[in-house]
Amino acid sequence: MTATAPLSGVTVVALEQAVSAPMCTRVLADFGARVIKVENPRGGDFARDYDDVVNGPGGLAAHFVWANRGKQSVTLDLKTPAGMQVLHRLLDGADALVSNLAPGSTARLGIAPDDIAERHPHVIPVEIDGYGPGGPISHKRAYDLLVQAESGCCAVTGYPDMPAKPGPPVADITTGLYAALSIVALLHGRARHRAGTAPAVAVSLFDTMTDIMGYQLTYTQHSGVDQQPLGMSSPAVAPYGAFTTADGQTVVLGTTNDREWDRLAREVIGRPDLADDPRFASNAARCSAREELNGAIQTWCAANDLAEIQRTADAAGIGNARYNTPGEVVAHPQLVTRDRWRPVDTPAGAITALLPPPVIAGFEQPMGAVPGLGEHTDSVLGGLGLDAGQIAALRAQGAVGPAYR
């Protein structure tokens, strides 16, 4: 690990909950930023209580553990003047403020982007919301599922007349990543150009999801057709899907161009007649004949076990994968062999977590501890110059949460 992390010296204050903003700040913490997570003394981030499966029963919530490592938790009651004063002192030394509170919350607290620009012009204010300001549904609550439904994502997932939500919270995750990228870009620009007042950043889950829906929206714009979801397949290419093997497993086989189709037909399933048939010469034609081609592939897969199918497909240069459950992925040899798991401390004891995806020469992400609620209140406030008596007085006023135990 390098002596200096890429974001060493960067401080981010977070007023965050659930997944989108916590994912943004977790990514920044993974690259060495100091993230101060400001939480309500009465329960904190509500994702702390989604479940208790991590080192449970009575343990920590899986969502919270996943999205909050490497942060410092400070409990402040922002409805009290003293709590707000402490927040402003934190912002005096911060580079960014990330929030995903309910619409209008930062304005009511006096820390909307315009307020930040006036009092803390060096701070990049980043607001994550559901639908973006100024629209007819800007006021609505926006959870991951709601935005996936509103953006059309659920309509292209699942099966016809059986829409589904993608399993991971993709609206939350991708919005958090866009927000983190925006902060890094603005920090880079500041370092190069020494800009004045930091620009404000607004990222909405709806805008993120409609961007991710780019292929489907473009297709429909120009064809007038709403493509129907195909489960573990794609309306864009064929053949491409999941098939049952002779040993009762599921293999996914895919082609993305005419050359791959030719090799699949000739070298994998042994059907040169299909490769030579002009009815299947183009991808568009194969999409129209999807059921016939899938039937031929399924017949071959049903006569071979998974290992033989994958060996044959690999030899022919055809993409393939084994269908795995989460329990099987936890022990996946690709993760184990490449040493992708690392220990992470939590208030409920040590766990293991996956390293972040970027593999950077000379640097390994620090994988800091998951904080307990208010665990760092005293040390962070001490770093602001407050002594034990002053912290005790704030605690007596209810401006900060109870001492951490």
Side-chain angles (χ1 to χ4, degrees), residues 123-142:
V123 172
I124 301 167
V126 180
E127 293 205 345
I128 296 173
D129 69 4
Y131 296 103
I137 61 173
S138 297
H139 64 286
K140 294 177 71 68
R141 286 192 175 273

Side-chain angles (χ1 to χ4, degrees), residues 186-331:
L186 290 174
L187 290 173
H188 177 69
R190 173 188 293 174
R192 294 186 63 189
H193 308 301
R194 300 188 181 280
T197 301
V201 177
V203 188
S204 79
L205 276 71
F206 185 71
D207 289 345
T208 298
M209 285 308 300
T210 51
D211 181 55
I212 288 175
M213 286 284 293
Y215 160 71
Q216 287 87 354
L217 297 182
T218 300
Y219 187 97
T220 298
Q221 264 187 308
H222 295 279
S223 69
V225 174
D226 286 330
Q227 290 180 317
Q228 295 300 297
L230 296 172
M232 287 185 61
S233 186
S234 168
V237 291
Y240 191 72
F243 305 92
T244 303
T245 69
D247 52 347
Q249 300 194 64
T250 299
V251 66
V252 179
L253 295 171
T255 61
T256 59
N257 57 59
D258 295 341
R259 296 182 302 278
E260 288 184 356
W261 156 244
D262 189 80
R263 295 199 304 274
L264 174 66
R266 296 181 192 278
E267 302 175 32
V268 177
I269 67 172
R271 292 291 302 274
D273 58 308
L274 297 179
D276 293 334
D277 193 324
R279 293 182 300 150
F280 312 133
S282 70
N283 179 64
R286 292 192 294 276
C287 286
S288 298
R290 186 186 310 275
E291 290 189 12
E292 181 178 350
L293 298 182
N294 284 352
I297 297 170
Q298 179 57 68
T299 297
W300 180 78
C301 288
N304 293 274
D305 62 23
L306 177 67
E308 176 61 19
I309 291 170
Q310 293 199 285
R311 185 196 65 76
T312 304
D314 285 341
I318 297 300
N320 64 91
R322 179 181 188 268
Y323 167 82
N324 289 312
T325 64
E328 290 165 328
V329 176
V330 167

Side-chain angles (χ1 to χ4, degrees), residues 88 91 97 110-127 190 196-201:
H88 283 295
L91 291 173
L97 169 65
I111 51 171
D114 288 347
D115 302 313
I116 296 297
E118 182 175 344
R119 185 162 179 175
H120 307 284
H122 61 288
V123 172
I124 301 167
V126 180
E127 293 205 345
R190 173 188 293 174
T197 301
V201 177

